[in-house]
Amino acid sequence: MATKENNELVIGIDLGTTYSCVAVWRHEHNRVDIIPNDQGNNTTPSCVAFTNYERLIGDAAADQAPINPENTIFDVKRLMGRKYTDSLVQEDKMMWPFKVVAGVDDKPMVVVKYKGEEKKFYAEEISSMILSKMQTIAEAYMGKPVKNAVVTVPAYFNDSQRKATIDAGVIIGLNIVRIINEPTAAAIAYALDKRNDCIGERNILVFDFGGGTFDVSLLTIEGKVFRVKGTAGNSHLGGEDINNRMMKYFVEELRTKNRVEISGNSRALRRLKSACERAKRHLSYAIKTDIEVDGLVRGFDWHASITRAKFEKINIDLFEECVKTVEECLRDAKMNKSRVHDVVLVGGSSRIPKVQQLLQDFFNGKNLCKSINADEAVAYGAAIQAAMLSEGISNVPPLVLKDVTPFSLGVSTKGDIMSVLIPRNNTIPVTKKRSYWTCTDGQLSIKIKVYEGERAKASGNNLLGSFSISIFPPALRGHPFDITFALNENGILSVSAEDKATGNEKKITITNDKGRLSSAEIDRMIQEARQYKSEDEKFIRKANALNDLDRRVYRIRSALNEEKINSKLSSKEKQDINLTICRATEMLDCLNQQDIGAIGECLKELKTILDRIMAL
C-alpha cells in the first residue's frame, strides 16, 4: 500500500459505483465535514462524459447523459480489476450505451468520441477522473492542495480490484495511503456518531447495499477497538441491477403493448433507464408511480405506471439474495442473530421498503438503524481513518481496526488436498506456521504451491504463486519442513518454507500486483463449495485413505528390507504380503477408478500385516 507523503492532510473518499462522496476531519471543530461539490450537493455522480468540446465529470456529465449516451461513462467501478471475457462484464456490456472492447491482457476498455476523435480508456483512467473531481472538490473547500487520501472499497473487492483502485490514484498523483472496506468505514461512522456513549461489547451488522455492490460485515466494538468478525457480499449486486430489471420489464412491455422496439437504440435506453431510476426512488415512499418519457423514440411519447408490488415482484430474487448473504455472514462469524445489537443500513438501495421488511423479519422484528445518512456514512468513516493517518491532527478518536481476509489461504499437499493455513474470515494481520513432510525418498526439492479459495481440492482454487526449496543432501521420505504464511494489514501475503534439518529457507511475497481472482470467480468458488460440499467430503475421505494406503505400503516394504524381520517370515507369508502390496499399488496407480470401500478393505489387510511384522 502507498505511504503518506509530505506529512500533509489526508482526506476520506467513498469512490462509489453510482455516486462518490468526500469528507475531511476538521480538528478545529472536532468533527467530520462532508464536503459539498460545486453544485452544493454532498454526493457527486460517478460519471464522466466526452463531447466535441470538453470532458465533463460529475453532475454536468450526468445531466447531459440522455442526449450523449454513447460517450457518457458510468458504472466503471464494475470494470475495475476484471477481464473483458469475464461473464459479468459481458452481461453489463449489453446494458450499457457506451462501447466496451478488449485491451492489452484482456483488460476492458471503454471507447468514446472526444473532440471528433475515437479514444479508448481503461477503467482505472475513468476512475482516476472521478477521483480527480473529488480531489478538486476537497481542495476548493480546504483552500490548499490535497495529495493524500483514504479510499473505500467493497469488502469483497479482491486484490486485483484494490490494486486497480490504487492505480487510479497514481494516474492523477493522488497518493492513496490506505484502502479500507466500506462496511468497516460505515461502522466507524455509526459507532462514533451514535454510540459514543455505549458501554461494553456491542455487535454491529452493517448492511451496505449501494448502487453497484452489496456487502455485509459483522463487527464487534468494545471501547475503541473495531474487530471484524465476518464479511460476505456480492461485488456485482446493487441498485444498478434493480434499474436494469425495471428497464428490461418496460422494454418488453413497449414491444408487446405498443409495438415499439428500442433495444438497439442507446439514446432511448438511456432515457428509459433514467426514468426507471427515478421511479425506483419514488417507490421508496409511494405505493405507485407514473413514468413518462416524451419523444422516447421517433416522436413517440411514452407513459406507463408501476406499483410497488410489481416492482418488488420483478426484483424479489435480488432482495432475497441480500438476506441469504446476511445469513452467510452470521454463519461464518459463528454468531446467532439474537446477539446482534444493531443493524445499520448503508447505501442508497437500503432504503427500498421490501429490503428493509425482509431484513427486519429476519431479525425477528428488530428496529433497523437508519439514523446515519446512508449516502454519506462511508465517506464519514473514511475521514476518521484519514485523520488517524494525518500528521499533527488533534482530537482524533484513537481507533484500532481489526479486519479479516475474505477467503482461505493454503498450500497443495499430496493427493491435491488444500491444506489451509489462514482460514477465511481470519483476523489480519496474522502469521501461521505448519509442519509438513516429504513424500518420497531421495527428494531433491519441495514444490510449494499457494492457493486461495474454499474448495477441498487444491486445483479447484486459485493459484497465487509457487516456488521450490532444495533439499541437500537428498533425504528419506518423511523429511520435515515448515511453511509459514504471514498476511499483513494491507493484505500482502508472504510465504516461506524452511528445511528444518539444514535451515535452508526460501520465501515469496504475493503482492497486489498479481492478477488475481475476479469477483465472479470468488463468488463461483463459494457457490461451488456449497454445491459440491458432499463431493468435497467424499474426495477428502478418498484422498486421505489413499495416502494412508501409500504410507502403510511404504512402511511394510521398508520393514521387509530389514534382515531381522525378513528372516522370521515364511515363504507363504512373504507371498501373501507381496500379493496384498501389489493390489494396493494397483489402487494407487489408478486413483480415480478406486472405490472407497475397496480401499478401506485393503487398508485393514495392510494394518493386520503391519501389526504382525512389528510384533516380530
Side-chain angles (χ1 to χ4, degrees):
M1 194 70 66
T3 56
K4 182 165 62 63
E5 300 172 346
N6 303 328
N7 296 331
E8 291 181 349
L9 177 70
V10 185
I11 59 173
I13 298 176
D14 171 16
L15 182 62
T17 307
T18 52
Y19 288 90
S20 295
C21 186
V22 60
V24 66
W25 174 267
R26 300 302 299 267
H27 64 91
E28 62 269 31
H29 304 302
N30 196 29
R31 70 164 192 260
V32 169
D33 280 359
I34 302 296
I35 303 177
N37 63 21
D38 48 7
Q39 301 295 311
N41 302 319
N42 284 355
T43 59
T44 300
S46 301
C47 187
V48 180
F50 300 87
T51 73
N52 287 329
Y53 309 102
E54 60 185 333
R55 182 192 68 180
L56 304 170
I57 306 173
D59 291 287
D63 290 343
Q64 59 82 67
I67 61 172
N68 184 31
E70 299 90 348
N71 300 304
T72 303
I73 314 305
F74 55 92
D75 287 359
V76 73
K77 191 173 177 179
R78 290 193 161 190
L79 292 174
M80 296 282 280
R82 297 187 189 276
K83 299 291 187 181
Y84 174 77
T85 50
D86 188 322
S87 60
L88 293 177
V89 171
Q90 293 302 308
E91 182 182 328
D92 280 336
K93 178 185 170 186
M94 301 302 294
M95 304 302 297
W96 288 329
F98 51 87
K99 188 177 179 181
V100 180
V101 300
V104 178
D105 295 330
D106 200 35
K107 290 188 68 175
M109 302 186 77
V110 294
V111 182
V112 297
K113 275 194 172 180
Y114 181 38
K115 295 184 177 179
E117 296 181 7
E118 183 177 273
K119 298 284 187 180
K120 295 180 180 179
F121 296 99
Y122 285 112
E124 292 87 343
E125 294 177 277
I126 301 297
S127 282
S128 72
M129 297 173 192
I130 299 167
L131 279 174
S132 176
K133 178 69 174 180
M134 307 316 291
Q135 181 184 28
T136 301
I137 291 169
E139 289 177 340
Y141 183 79
M142 301 300 298
K144 58 182 178 180
V146 173
K147 296 183 179 179
N148 303 291
V150 168
V151 178
T152 63
V153 296
Y156 248 56
F157 252 30
N158 59 49
D159 283 356
S160 181
Q161 291 167 308
R162 292 168 191 261
K163 177 60 169 58
T165 304
I166 294 172
D167 288 345
V170 171
I171 290 170
I172 62 164
L174 181 65
N175 182 38
I176 298 180
V177 298
R178 183 71 55 85
I179 281 185
I180 65 170
N181 293 334
E182 290 167 2
T184 304
I188 293 172
Y190 177 76
L192 293 184
D193 193 41
K194 302 298 178 184
R195 293 288 176 183
N196 211 25
D197 57 348
C198 72
I199 299 173
E201 186 178 274
R202 197 164 192 90
N203 299 317
I204 296 178
L205 184 133
V206 179
F207 184 90
D208 186 358
F209 194 14
T213 60
F214 170 59
D215 285 309
V216 178
S217 286
L218 183 66
L219 300 92
T220 295
I221 300 175
E222 187 170 12
K224 300 301 180 183
V225 177
F226 289 66
R227 189 181 303 274
V228 180
K229 292 291 188 180
T231 186
N234 186 333
S235 58
H236 200 274
L237 173 61
E240 285 296 297
D241 300 284
I242 296 169
N243 297 340
N244 290 339
R245 285 284 183 90
M246 291 178 69
M247 187 170 71
K248 287 179 181 178
Y249 171 79
F250 284 120
V251 166
E252 183 60 28
E253 186 177 274
L254 279 161
R255 182 183 297 123
T256 55
K257 289 186 178 181
N258 304 98
R259 300 290 190 269
V260 174
E261 180 61 66
I262 67 167
S263 57
N265 189 319
S266 59
R267 181 173 295 188
L269 287 173
R270 177 64 198 184
R271 298 184 69 193
L272 176 59
K273 187 171 183 177
S274 298
C276 288
E277 183 175 3
R278 288 193 297 272
K280 178 187 68 175
R281 294 173 183 271
H282 292 165
L283 290 173
S284 290
Y285 55 83
I287 61 173
K288 181 180 178 182
T289 188
D290 293 325
I291 303 177
E292 293 185 29
V293 182
D294 293 336
L296 177 64
V297 59
R298 295 187 297 274
F300 174 70
D301 296 335
W302 177 66
H303 173 271
S305 62
I306 184 171
T307 63
R308 183 185 291 179
K310 186 64 179 179
F311 167 77
E312 291 171 353
K313 183 179 180 181
I314 293 171
N315 295 286
I316 189 62
D317 59 318
L318 300 180
F319 301 156
E320 290 175 343
E321 178 66 24
C322 294
V323 177
K324 289 177 184 176
T325 304
V326 172
E327 290 183 279
E328 180 186 334
C329 180
L330 291 170
R331 184 171 59 250
D332 288 347
K334 297 179 176 60
M335 184 176 293
N336 189 283
K337 60 185 178 182
S338 62
R339 293 178 55 201
V340 175
H341 296 99
D342 302 312
V343 179
V344 181
L345 301 182
V346 180
S349 300
S350 68
R351 295 187 175 97
I352 297 172
K354 187 64 176 180
V355 172
Q356 295 184 3
Q357 178 209 319
L358 291 173
L359 192 59
Q360 193 164 26
D361 289 346
F362 176 77
F363 283 100
N364 302 322
K366 178 187 287 292
N367 288 329
L368 307 178
C369 301
K370 309 173 190 176
S371 54
I372 61 172
N373 189 304
D375 301 316
E376 301 171 4
V378 172
Y380 189 109
I384 297 293
Q385 175 69 72
M388 294 167 58
L389 297 172
S390 298
E391 295 289 341
I393 301 295
S394 58
N395 303 323
V396 182
L399 305 179
V400 179
L401 302 179
K402 298 287 185 179
D403 224 322
V404 297
T405 178
F407 26 66
S408 300
L409 299 165
V411 296
S412 173
T413 58
K414 187 174 182 181
D416 198 22
I417 296 175
M418 173 76 162
S419 176
V420 175
L421 278 85
I422 301 179
R424 179 172 174 240
N425 276 328
N426 199 101
T427 301
I428 56 176
V430 60
T431 299
K432 296 282 186 180
K433 178 189 283 190
R434 184 171 296 174
S435 296
Y436 296 88
W437 293 266
T438 56
C439 301
T440 59
D441 291 333
Q443 218 171 305
L444 293 173
S445 65
I446 305 163
K447 182 80 169 179
I448 311 295
K449 290 185 176 181
V450 183
Y451 289 91
E452 65 180 357
E454 308 309 317
R455 294 299 303 275
K457 191 174 184 179
S459 58
N461 294 314
N462 185 57
L463 179 64
L464 297 181
S466 63
F467 64 100
S468 297
I469 179 172
S470 61
I471 302 175
F472 189 82
L476 294 176
R477 173 178 173 155
H479 185 74
F481 63 96
D482 288 339
I483 295 179
T484 303
F485 275 27
L487 189 67
N488 69 15
E489 63 276 3
N490 289 327
I492 297 177
L493 175 65
S494 297
V495 182
S496 64
E498 180 183 8
D499 181 346
K500 295 175 74 172
T502 64
N504 183 29
E505 185 177 14
K506 185 78 175 287
K507 70 166 58 177
I508 62 170
T509 298
I510 311 284
T511 69
N512 286 332
D513 294 316
K514 299 287 182 181
R516 292 176 60 183
L517 288 177
S518 71
S519 298
E521 289 170 322
I522 292 176
D523 293 339
R524 173 183 55 78
M525 285 192 298
I526 293 173
Q527 292 298 326
E528 285 181 351
R530 294 174 188 158
Q531 181 181 348
Y532 302 120
K533 185 177 180 182
S534 60
E535 178 185 323
D536 285 348
E537 289 173 348
K538 181 180 178 181
F539 168 80
I540 283 290
R541 287 197 303 271
K542 185 174 178 179
N544 286 335
L546 286 168
N547 285 341
D548 286 343
L549 200 70
D550 186 37
R551 279 193 292 269
R552 287 179 184 176
V553 168
Y554 179 83
R555 290 183 65 189
I556 291 171
R557 280 176 168 166
S558 298
L560 291 176
N561 289 331
E562 296 183 21
E563 182 63 31
K564 176 183 174 183
I565 293 176
N566 193 43
S567 62
K568 293 181 181 181
L569 293 172
S570 66
S571 297
K572 179 68 168 61
E573 286 177 315
K574 291 178 184 177
Q575 185 178 1
D576 290 344
I577 290 172
N578 284 329
L579 284 173
T580 304
I581 288 176
C582 284
R583 192 164 74 255
T585 303
E586 288 176 1
M587 288 183 174
L588 291 169
D589 289 340
C590 304
L591 300 179
N592 296 327
Q593 301 175 18
Q594 302 307 318
D595 177 72
I596 187 70
I599 297 171
E601 290 299 320
C602 192
L603 275 171
K604 290 178 183 178
E605 291 182 37
L606 290 174
K607 184 178 185 303
T608 301
I609 292 170
L610 197 57
D611 290 343
R612 161 84 174 106
I613 290 175
M614 293 297 103
L616 294 176

